[in-house]
Amino acid sequence: MTVGERRWLIAGNWKMHTTYEEALELAGAIQQRCRSLPDVEVVLIPPFPWIVPLAERLRGSAIALGAQTCSAYDQGAYTGEVSARMIAPFCQYVIVGHSERRRLFAETDEVVAAKLRAALRYGLRPILCVGEDLEEREAGATLHVIEHQLRLACEALSLAECKRIIIAYEPVWAIGTGRPATPADAQSVAEWIRRWFVLRFGELDEQLRILYGGSVTAENARGFFEVPDIDGALVGGASLDAAQFCGIVEATRSAKARLE
Ligand code: PEP
């Protein structure tokens, strides 16, 4: 068990990768390889079209499903959108505010906040991504950027709603670059995020789960899981390889070290 009552969460964001056959094969391999660890929640986040078949395939297993985004709207004339309401029967989680959505699809903090609320309305657990880009980091603006992102997404939420959110700290410069943050840097931002929530939502601190994301691999994951405020990982590239992804799941065992 991780610090307090927080359960580890390892989520694999497949992004716009895999054919239908590859998706079934990858999910099957992960299901076989990932030993069922009671303290770890494993979440696969495939492209939209594979969600329903994977929900069928994984029924009865301990592996949960998530979506990579959702619409800010519940239903209506919004061509191409997929609502939280449509996703909710098949998924437990949904990513909101991933830096690729913010950067490539012009999602503003206001849109991210609306998506977060839509996800909560339908009982999904949002994984809210926050993080600074390289320029912001070099300007010493990391915490300023994260404060802004958190405030716009979360300040109108109730304590009960906040308890359903997972935060993923994902420095943009570390995503897909093979250059992860150091565990110490990730810890100091995660600790700051936890304090930010405590100041606004009091008793939330021990329950809020904070993930690190950005070039996590089976080889470097352990370092992130040994620091006190990181409760898992949001994994991109390495989640497309069953051995890598399950190696990251296994690395949570080092959690014991931080409690001793
Ligand atoms: C991501 O896109 O959320 C991510 C963390 O990607 P990668 O692991 O490939 O850096």
Side-chain angles (χ1 to χ4, degrees):
M1 185 66 66
T2 177
V3 171
E5 289 307 309
R6 302 195 301 272
R7 212 171 160 220
W8 295 106
L9 197 159
I10 309 296
N13 173 12
W14 294 0
K15 309 194 184 188
M16 202 173 73
H17 293 294
T18 67
T19 61
Y20 176 59
E21 290 75 19
E22 287 164 352
L24 291 184
E25 196 181 316
L26 181 57
I30 289 172
Q31 198 180 359
Q32 276 197 332
R33 268 176 182 265
C34 279
R35 291 201 313 108
S36 166
L37 299 172
D39 295 340
V40 189
E41 220 170 332
V42 174
V43 185
L44 304 185
I45 310 183
F48 280 132
W50 315 152
I51 287 176
V52 174
L54 287 187
E56 289 283 315
R57 184 61 67 100
L58 296 171
R59 184 176 297 152
S61 92
I63 296 177
L65 281 177
Q68 298 174 15
T69 184
C70 67
S71 177
Y73 304 102
D74 291 346
Q75 63 175 333
Y78 301 107
T79 302
E81 289 284 270
V82 178
S83 70
R85 187 187 189 206
M86 294 166 175
I87 295 163
F90 309 99
C91 291
Q92 293 77 37
Y93 292 89
V94 60
I95 298 175
V96 292
H98 191 282
S99 62
E100 287 155 13
R101 301 290 325 167
R102 292 180 191 262
R103 204 163 34 91
L104 302 173
F105 301 98
E107 282 189 11
T108 61
D109 285 303
E110 289 73 16
V111 170
V112 172
K115 291 185 171 204
L116 189 81
R117 286 195 300 274
L120 289 168
R121 269 199 300 283
Y122 289 96
L124 289 161
R125 287 179 160 268
I127 300 175
L128 172 64
C129 299
V130 296
E132 81 287 2
D133 66 23
L134 189 57
E135 203 178 314
E136 291 160 344
R137 175 183 168 85
E138 286 174 348
T142 296
L143 297 181
H144 176 77
V145 169
I146 291 172
E147 202 277 332
H148 187 78
Q149 292 172 334
L150 287 179
R151 185 158 39 78
L152 293 196
C154 300
E155 73 180 348
L157 301 182
S158 66
L159 174 62
E161 287 172 322
C162 266
K163 284 183 177 173
R164 299 191 54 77
I165 292 178
I166 287 101
I167 304 295
Y169 169 51
E170 297 212 308
V172 179
W173 47 269
I175 295 179
T177 60
R179 286 192 302 116
T182 63
D185 278 354
Q187 162 60 24
S188 82
V189 175
E191 187 182 357
W192 185 92
I193 290 172
R194 197 175 301 286
R195 247 186 294 124
W196 187 89
F197 276 95
V198 173
L199 282 174
R200 274 150 199 83
F201 300 99
E203 62 184 279
L204 186 68
D205 63 329
E206 274 304 304
Q207 291 171 53
L208 180 70
R209 287 190 290 180
I210 301 174
L211 314 181
Y212 167 75
S215 298
V216 175
T217 62
E219 292 72 36
N220 66 25
R222 187 187 163 117
F224 294 102
F225 301 156
E226 285 178 337
V227 299
D229 284 294
I230 289 177
D231 306 304
L234 181 54
V235 185
S239 72
L240 295 167
D241 178 313
Q244 269 289 321
F245 186 66
C246 296
I248 295 168
V249 173
E250 277 286 320
T252 57
R253 290 160 163 280
S254 62
K256 284 210 177 72
R258 70 179 181 177
L259 289 179
E260 284 160 6

